[in-house]
Amino acid sequence: METRRRFIVTGGRLVLAGAAAVAAGPTVFTRSVAAAKELKVLQWSHFVPAYDKWFDPWAKEWGAKRGVEVTVDHVSFADVVPRATAEVAAQSGHDIHMFLGLASAFEEHVVDLSDVVATLEKKHGKPVELARRSTYNPFTRKQFALSDMWVPDPGNYHKKVWTDIGMPNGPVTYEDLSKAAPEVKKVAPQMQIPIGIGLSQDIDSNMAVCNILWCHGGSIQDKDGNVVLNSPETLKALEYTKRLYSVGMTPAVLSWNAASNNQAFNAQETSYILNSISAYRTAQDNKLPVVEHYFFTPALKGPTGIMLASEHVMSGYVVWKFSKNQDTAKEFLVALVDASRESTLGSKLYNFPSFFGAAADPGTPVAKRPQSGTAWVEKQCKQDPFGSNPPDKLMVLADSLKWSTNLGYPGSANPAEGEIFDTYVLTDMFAKAATGALSPKDAMTEASNRAKEIFTKWRAKKMVGGGKDR
Amino acid sequence: MLAPALAYILLLVALPFVAAVLLSLTNSSAGSLDVSFVGFRNFRAVVGNPVFKRALWNTFVFTFVSQVLVIAFGNILARALMRRFRGKTIARFLILMPWAAPISLATLGWLWIFDSTFSVINWVLKVVGYFGPGQWYYWLGDPTLGMVAIVTVHVWRMLPFSTVILIAGLSSIPAEVHEAADIDGAGTLSKAFYVTVPMMLPILSVALLFGVVFTFTDMSVVYLLTRGGPFNSTHVLASLAFQDGVLGGDVGRGAAIAIFLLPVLVVMAILTLRVSRRAEVA
């Protein structure tokens, strides 16, 4: 009897441990036994692996100086939200959770970080506007997350191919893409996809279609949170995409995942993609032949003259309400922003500081810190310390803040925008219109109805404003 | 004696099931523990959604087509493996490999095989001259080819289990029965329809029912291969429930989608129990 009971108890423990291990997913544990204070951080596996090599020891060292055992668990970008969902449901897990996009859906379960932002503003000046709009909910007036970095999303073009078609500086407008596509086919017939803009159910495609929509004057919501997707501007964006798809794209772009556009460009199977510099850094690291042809353009202009691109990544660190180490967590976040120079370099210029002032020259007065930090970042872009040839290859990024914006533009990020993003409402609309699965008007109507349904639901939870939907 | 089994059923089957039903009647979201009762609102919303209708249709197609193929190929393989030939042990081992391989790892391999740009199938077809200029199969970029890819991977994954079950069934038929049929002058087809199939029916039914239930509730292949794309055209109910409920954060809606699996699963469960009981009696 005793043996059987022991068997059941032991078995039960093993099952629980197994279930916990499975639930933990693909993580990297850097945990050690017993410490006076501890801090658990959930962090993504960075698209530029060099960043993780910087971050993990930096976090450990920060903790060691303060007698805090810091644990960093990495998950793939796709697991960030499911892990958050699981931890909220269990009301336990990490103290700090890093989101890549919109953390706003979890607002109710995170502590207000207004004090952290106030501390940082006193030290470094204000954060960039797109970071503020991604981490602050004006409707609930809560600073639900802290952004330490954002990532510009330039166009990547194949210099040789574009030179051969008479456009050595790459495209400037969206119209240039549709004009160039047939020419690219002529000069580079081996390229499978002349223009490689994703229209699939993935994060990069989501950003790409936002860019096209905004630059044609459309958006999901207006600045007050009213749904305005059903508009002549959206229709123009869809008609443009349909045209571009027919002259310069293939169904391959309907199936892309986050790595596909990188792979296609690095294999020289496409002449233009929308991506951060991570694909380029991969090509550099692997000494791929395409490296010499990699060049960058700022966001493209739409027929409206609007020239905007979504941030490629917007960090949003939250501190859970269930955390028992909230003060330590806040100190950690302040220190992380303070280390913006190191983190920018650690990511090989992939990360740009959300508080530019944190990258200022030492000793610069607070009032001048944002300017000084911006100048430092510009200097890095114009003289890439990571071996670009020519050294100013990343110069386009120097003024990327001017043409970058947040998800939710022209309003703030909110849970409704997040759900629309995560359930691919926009990419589906664009893909259906592009392929003729639905007419542009029907695709727009379908997506608009879905967007209104989602906004209505979140308004009922009093987390999103607006209500005068179109 | 029954306590562990009952505890298992209560904790891991009954409770999640009741929770799913309750959640489907609420406005529960991923980032919140506060829920309100909303009646059948989630069900009304999903029923009117074209993506849901497509996912429902796909679920049946996925289940039906893959099970027919699994049983057909399983039979062929099982019969082949019943014969004596050199390297039979290695062949059995290789056939069992897909069952043992982690699906995420295996699907990565298949992802490369079906990649719309770098598909190894396409490149082979190109090299052997099958493709003319501009011809290409966009396996994961086309709704029909996407479903073909999903079914292919699922069949590959389920085949070993089905084969093993069928080998067990075939082995259990006494040689004398076949010999008697031979003496009576039965041909190959007659023997198959009047001897082999009837004698294997219980085990065949169990394999089929298990396969149907497993396939009907599976989302891993869809999620890892197409993520429901292109434009949500290859979702099955389970993957759509995950997308809307976990990724999109609308837990109530996700639960409502998942609940639509219930009627089919109930029927399957009843059939499974009946067949098992019959097999027991036999």
Side-chain angles (χ1 to χ4, degrees):
Chain A
M1 190 67 181
E2 177 61 28
T3 312
R4 189 166 63 184
R5 186 173 300 137
R6 192 177 300 158
F7 171 77
I8 291 166
V9 170
T10 312
R13 281 179 185 159
L14 282 171
V15 168
L16 283 176
V22 170
T27 55
V28 175
F29 291 99
T30 50
R31 194 167 299 178
S32 69
V33 194
K37 284 164 81 179
E38 62 171 357
L39 186 71
K40 288 184 273 184
V41 182
L42 187 132
Q43 172 77 283
W44 71 315
S45 294
H46 202 287
F47 285 151
V48 178
Y51 179 82
D52 293 342
K53 288 182 188 154
W54 171 80
F55 182 85
D56 293 1
W58 174 85
K60 280 273 174 202
E61 197 184 320
W62 178 87
K65 283 180 188 163
R66 289 157 185 80
V68 178
E69 175 71 27
V70 178
T71 303
V72 181
D73 294 335
H74 291 273
V75 296
S76 87
F77 77 96
D79 290 327
V80 168
V81 172
R83 281 296 294 258
T85 305
E87 294 194 7
V88 165
Q91 286 293 291
S92 71
H94 296 81
D95 301 294
I96 295 175
H97 197 107
M98 189 262 198
F99 285 84
L100 287 175
L102 305 181
S104 44
F106 294 87
E107 197 178 315
E108 190 185 315
H109 289 277
V110 302
V111 300
D112 193 321
L113 296 176
S114 302
D115 50 347
V116 175
V117 173
T119 304
L120 288 167
E121 284 184 358
K122 272 185 201 161
K123 289 172 91 172
H124 304 301
K126 292 214 173 289
V128 295
E129 184 59 17
L130 75 163
R132 196 189 71 83
R133 288 206 299 220
S134 301
T135 55
Y136 176 76
N137 186 339
F139 188 67
T140 58
R141 298 183 178 183
K142 183 168 182 175
Q143 184 75 45
F144 56 84
L146 175 82
S147 173
D148 73 316
M149 65 85 166
W150 63 283
V151 177
D153 196 30
N156 303 203
Y157 74 100
H158 194 289
K159 181 83 166 177
K160 182 179 182 310
V161 170
W162 283 78
T163 302
D164 289 349
I165 65 167
M167 299 173 81
N169 296 321
V172 176
T173 66
Y174 277 101
E175 207 48 47
D176 287 346
L177 289 184
S178 55
K179 278 183 195 157
E183 303 304 315
V184 172
K185 279 184 188 170
K186 283 181 203 160
V187 302
Q190 77 286 359
M191 275 187 172
Q192 288 192 54
I193 314 148
I195 305 296
I197 295 180
L199 298 175
S200 67
Q201 304 190 177
D202 88 299
I203 186 170
D204 287 358
S205 300
N206 247 330
M207 289 179 241
V209 298
C210 282
N211 298 354
I212 298 174
L213 181 65
W214 296 333
C215 293
H216 283 78
S219 60
I220 297 172
Q221 63 171 0
D222 63 16
K223 62 181 174 45
D224 299 318
N226 303 303
V227 179
V228 292
L229 189 59
N230 194 345
S231 69
E233 291 80 13
T234 302
L235 206 53
K236 277 183 194 161
L238 293 176
E239 280 160 358
Y240 163 77
T241 308
K242 187 178 167 75
R243 191 155 45 86
L244 178 65
Y245 181 81
S246 69
V247 295
M249 297 180 355
T250 71
V253 300
L254 304 172
S255 66
W256 277 4
N257 58 36
S260 298
N261 57 2
N262 305 14
Q263 290 163 349
F265 197 94
N266 286 348
Q268 305 193 57
E269 292 289 353
T270 185
S271 76
Y272 180 86
I273 60 171
L274 288 167
N275 211 327
S276 62
I277 61 166
S278 58
Y280 168 62
R281 293 302 190 204
T282 304
Q284 272 186 312
D285 291 346
N286 294 297
K287 297 183 174 56
L288 300 181
V290 73
V291 164
E292 61 176 306
H293 306 305
Y294 247 109
F295 278 78
F296 300 92
T297 63
L300 301 179
K301 260 189 209 157
T304 53
I306 296 173
M307 177 183 169
L308 276 179
S310 161
E311 36 75 12
H312 192 76
V313 169
M314 172 65 68
S315 77
Y317 284 94
V318 303
V319 178
W320 295 120
K321 277 184 182 170
F322 59 71
S323 163
K324 293 184 176 73
N325 306 300
Q326 291 177 8
D327 291 338
T328 312
K330 287 179 178 179
E331 282 175 40
F332 179 86
L333 293 179
V334 170
L336 181 60
V337 173
D338 287 345
S340 286
R341 264 198 187 193
E342 294 93 310
S343 64
T344 301
L345 293 175
S347 69
K348 296 186 173 181
L349 301 187
Y350 179 88
N351 293 9
F352 272 33
S354 292
F355 289 81
F356 270 104
D361 290 330
T364 309
V366 177
K368 291 186 176 171
R369 287 187 71 85
Q371 200 182 343
S372 167
T374 306
W376 178 81
V377 172
E378 281 176 4
K379 191 178 157 197
Q380 307 309 307
C381 294
K382 288 174 182 166
Q383 192 72 37
D384 180 15
F386 300 101
S388 284
N389 183 24
D392 65 351
K393 192 175 258 195
L394 302 179
M395 198 169 64
V396 159
L397 302 183
D399 64 351
S400 52
L401 188 59
K402 289 179 191 161
W403 44 263
S404 297
T405 191
N406 59 292
L407 293 171
Y409 164 87
S412 289
N414 60 46
E417 285 273 345
E419 185 172 338
I420 287 170
F421 191 84
D422 290 330
T423 54
Y424 308 112
V425 175
L426 279 197
T427 54
D428 284 1
M429 174 178 78
F430 274 88
K432 282 175 177 169
T435 57
L438 285 179
S439 71
K441 194 164 191 309
D442 288 345
M444 179 179 72
T445 306
E446 183 183 279
S448 172
N449 289 340
R450 179 81 183 108
K452 282 190 268 192
E453 190 189 323
I454 291 170
F455 266 77
T456 303
K457 187 186 71 186
W458 286 103
R459 284 186 196 120
K461 288 176 178 270
K462 302 197 186 314
M463 289 174 76
V464 175
K468 294 174 187 165
D469 297 340
R470 188 184 290 168
Chain B
M1 191 72 172
L2 283 174
L6 274 177
Y8 170 83
I9 290 169
L10 276 174
L11 286 173
L12 298 179
V13 182
L15 270 181
F17 171 70
V18 173
V21 173
L22 290 176
L23 282 172
S24 71
L25 301 171
T26 69
N27 66 347
S28 169
S29 64
S32 173
L33 294 177
D34 292 337
V35 292
S36 306
F37 181 74
V38 295
F40 290 99
R41 195 177 75 189
N42 290 324
F43 290 94
R44 280 196 296 274
V46 296
V47 165
N49 182 358
V51 176
F52 169 79
K53 288 175 191 164
R54 180 73 185 240
L56 188 63
W57 169 249
N58 286 345
T59 307
F60 281 99
V61 171
F62 175 48
T63 306
F64 180 76
V65 175
S66 56
Q67 283 317 296
V68 166
L69 293 174
V70 163
I71 293 294
F73 290 136
N75 255 301
I76 295 169
L77 271 180
R79 282 169 188 282
L81 289 173
M82 292 285 288
R83 294 166 190 238
R84 287 185 183 181
F85 59 90
R86 187 176 284 188
K88 186 172 162 178
T89 315
I90 294 173
R92 278 194 177 194
F93 170 75
L94 289 175
I95 285 165
L96 276 173
M97 281 281 280
W99 186 252
I103 183 63
S104 52
L105 195 67
T107 307
L108 282 178
W110 283 103
L111 208 51
W112 171 61
I113 291 168
F114 288 124
D115 187 281
S116 291
T117 310
F118 304 105
S119 164
V120 67
I121 299 172
N122 286 357
W123 285 99
V124 168
L125 291 175
K126 191 179 176 184
V127 168
V128 300
Y130 179 80
F131 280 153
Q135 272 191 308
W136 203 253
Y137 289 145
Y138 297 101
W139 293 101
L140 308 178
D142 175 89
T144 309
L145 289 178
M147 283 307 288
V148 169
I150 288 166
V151 168
T152 304
V153 177
H154 193 69
V155 168
W156 170 84
R157 184 184 169 206
M158 294 293 288
L159 197 53
F161 176 77
S162 173
T163 307
V164 169
I165 294 277
L166 292 171
I167 287 176
L170 286 170
S171 312
S172 67
I173 302 173
E176 298 81 29
V177 179
H178 284 296
E179 286 164 12
D182 285 337
I183 291 164
D184 290 343
T188 312
L189 277 178
S190 303
K191 271 205 301 185
F193 283 108
Y194 295 110
V195 178
T196 311
V197 171
M199 293 196 78
M200 280 182 66
L201 199 55
I203 205 160
L204 201 64
S205 308
V206 170
L208 186 65
L209 290 172
F210 175 84
V212 167
V213 172
F214 189 82
T215 307
F216 207 75
T217 53
D218 185 66
M219 61 159 272
S220 49
V221 177
V222 173
Y223 186 66
L224 291 166
L225 215 56
T226 65
R227 301 175 312 285
F231 43 83
N232 281 325
S233 60
T234 60
H235 268 301
V236 290
L237 288 183
S239 63
L240 184 63
F242 180 75
Q243 178 177 290
D244 283 6
V246 177
L247 299 180
D250 193 339
V251 178
R253 185 186 173 97
I257 293 168
I259 291 295
F260 274 89
L261 297 167
L262 186 64
V264 175
L265 294 178
V266 167
V267 172
M268 286 297 144
I270 292 168
L271 281 175
T272 308
L273 288 172
R274 280 196 177 176
V275 169
S276 314
R277 201 172 302 144
R278 251 187 234 167
E280 230 171 71
V281 172

